[in-house]
Amino acid sequence: MKNLGSMLGIETSCDETAAAVVAPDGKVLSNVLDSQVDVHALYGGVVPELASRRHVETIESIVQLAMTEANVSYHELAAIAVTHGPGLAGALLVGVNFGKALAYSLQIPLVAVNHLKGHLASTWVEHSDFPQSSIMLVVSGGHTHLFYAAGSGHYQLLGKTIDDAAGEAFDKGAKMLGLSYPGGPLIDRLAQAGKPGTVHFPRPYLTRGGLDFSFSGLKTALLYYLRDMKKSNSVMPSIEDLAASYQEAIVDVLVEKSFRAVRKYHAKGIAVVGGVAANSRLRERMTERAQHEKIHVALPSLSLCTDNAVMIAAAGWAQYRLGDIAAWDVDMDLGQASELMYSSACRDNG
Ligand code: KG4
Ligand code: ZN
């Protein structure tokens, strides 16, 4: 009975069907994932209807696999944590209803986890010593949010993107460069062989906008650059140099704004989470800067950056301990709750 009272985490907010089991002491007992990248790559982006269908097809076997790999029986679960939003409606419905039905049949508590809180919680899975009073940056396909974390579970929103998320900037830029979906990891790989100073793309909002971000202008700058180069029959830089230059503009803004927040709030640490936290240049620059500023840096390992269910189970444990249990009529939440939770009064526009 060594695993008595574990948390099953379920994540289906976008294009990954994920399940994981985490023990009460935070030990990760399993981490299973079905990626739908191949399904959506054909269309150049996530097709919501196809995502939901694939979740329906795979969720049962993914959850079963997570339980088997963890060597935990259903009766040894303390609770089930499931992502209830934000995300794609049809995709969320699959996980929420599966989790709800399973928890109800086992008569154990269900914990409804906000996807962003899940990404934030991924920090403490591997960095249990990450200090309170830190700055945390969530950078994914759907979010670019900067938080002040008083401690695990207590977050104050300082700023966010006013248009595209950083992951969207990567993916849309990659599409313009003729790369497939999702383009973030491809830009990252190509950029490693390129020179970041080849083309100077704008650093939107770097000197204004407080701690908010904006990436749509950068995307447009790449579009116009490619168009003008073609029109004038100029010799185009290599794809590696273009990728490195474009990536550098995104990374510059993310690093500068994060450390502006670090200084302003006298933060003891910086954490970067979400899919874009897997970016090698961002990891390198954040680490260098944190060392220079002599503060703690926490970057989740790559499998915990992109969507996964370990982070949902970890956030689930924090909520469970606070008695934050969902009612049986809990529904998906398309994002309203997350915005309400971090009221605009908390936003930092200075
Ligand atoms: O967190 P995530 O898996 O899903 C969302 O919650 O959105 O993030 C996916 C995003 C995609 O935009 C993808 O291109 C980006 O993360 N991404 C990367 C890298 N790996 C994933 N962007 C830049 N460099 C990477 N290595
Ligand atoms: Zn995510």
Side-chain angles (χ1 to χ4, degrees), residues 11 13-14 115-116 119 138-143 274-275 305-308 311:
E11 154 66 39
S13 67
C14 191
H115 185 77
L116 260 79
H119 276 302
V138 185
V139 266
S140 69
H143 299 95
C305 288
T306 43
D307 288 349
N308 64 86
M311 67 185 198

Side-chain angles (χ1 to χ4, degrees), residues 213-229:
F213 300 85
S214 166
F215 290 107
S216 69
L218 172 63
K219 177 188 68 187
T220 313
L222 175 63
L223 181 74
Y224 288 168
Y225 175 82
L226 296 174
R227 186 197 63 185
D228 294 347
M229 291 294 281

Side-chain angles (χ1 to χ4, degrees), residues 37-342:
V37 161
D38 295 348
V39 176
H40 304 290
L42 300 170
Y43 303 92
V46 177
V47 183
E49 175 67 22
L50 295 182
S52 325
R53 288 189 202 184
R54 175 78 169 250
H55 287 311
V56 170
E57 283 162 18
T58 56
I59 190 157
E60 197 186 343
S61 56
I62 291 296
V63 166
Q64 184 54 58
L65 194 56
M67 297 297 289
T68 306
E69 286 192 3
N71 195 23
V72 169
S73 81
Y74 286 102
H75 293 286
E76 291 172 316
L77 290 176
I80 296 175
V82 63
T83 308
H84 75 134
L88 301 171
L92 288 164
L93 276 175
V94 179
V96 168
N97 285 305
F98 190 92
K100 201 191 286 189
L102 188 55
Y104 188 80
S105 67
L106 294 168
Q107 282 299 297
I108 56 173
L110 179 73
V111 184
V113 175
N114 175 284
H115 185 77
L116 260 79
K117 278 197 163 184
H119 276 302
L120 290 162
S122 68
T123 301
W124 285 276
V125 172
E126 297 164 317
H127 301 264
S128 55
D129 58 343
F130 185 68
Q132 296 184 352
S133 313
S134 288
I135 295 298
M136 303 186 78
L137 175 69
V138 185
V139 266
S140 69
H143 299 95
T144 300
H145 282 46
L146 202 52
F147 292 96
Y148 175 77
S152 170
H154 302 280
Y155 310 113
Q156 177 191 347
L157 181 65
L158 305 178
K160 62 177 184 171
T161 180
I162 59 157
D163 41 54
D164 291 346
E168 258 179 298
F170 270 106
D171 296 340
K172 289 177 179 173
K175 203 169 183 175
M176 288 178 215
L177 294 173
L179 305 171
S180 60
Y181 178 86
L186 301 174
I187 290 200
D188 186 354
R189 207 172 311 141
L190 287 166
Q192 286 170 25
K195 291 184 283 300
T198 309
V199 185
H200 186 81
F201 289 113
R203 271 62 174 159
Y205 258 46
L206 192 55
T207 53
R208 59 194 179 95
L211 295 173
D212 282 336
F213 300 85
S214 166
F215 290 107
S216 69
L218 172 63
K219 177 188 68 187
T220 313
L222 175 63
L223 181 74
Y224 288 168
Y225 175 82
L226 296 174
R227 186 197 63 185
D228 294 347
M229 291 294 281
K230 269 187 205 134
K231 217 190 257 175
S232 60
N233 275 329
S234 306
V235 180
M236 193 74 87
S238 70
I239 181 98
E240 288 84 1
D241 287 345
L242 283 173
S245 302
Y246 185 75
Q247 172 178 273
E248 202 68 6
I250 300 174
V251 170
D252 264 355
V253 175
L254 294 176
V255 173
E256 283 310 317
K257 291 259 171 167
S258 300
F259 279 87
R260 192 176 296 169
V262 163
R263 277 194 302 276
K264 185 164 181 174
Y265 290 88
H266 308 289
K268 295 188 186 134
I270 173 86
V272 190
V273 299
V276 179
N279 183 267
S280 58
R281 184 69 176 147
L282 182 62
R283 295 173 82 87
E284 181 182 64
R285 295 271 310 274
M286 283 286 187
T287 305
E288 275 170 15
R289 188 68 178 268
Q291 281 166 354
H292 183 257
E293 306 272 342
K294 297 190 173 50
I295 62 164
H296 198 110
V297 62
L299 304 165
S301 51
L302 300 193
S303 66
L304 293 186
C305 288
T306 43
D307 288 349
N308 64 86
V310 170
M311 67 185 198
I312 302 304
W317 268 126
Q319 286 180 229
Y320 176 83
R321 291 193 172 110
L322 291 172
D324 184 2
I325 306 302
W328 290 123
D329 63 353
V330 66
D331 202 354
M332 61 168 178
D333 176 348
L334 293 180
Q336 295 298 329
S338 60
E339 296 304 330
L340 291 174
M341 194 165 63
Y342 316 114

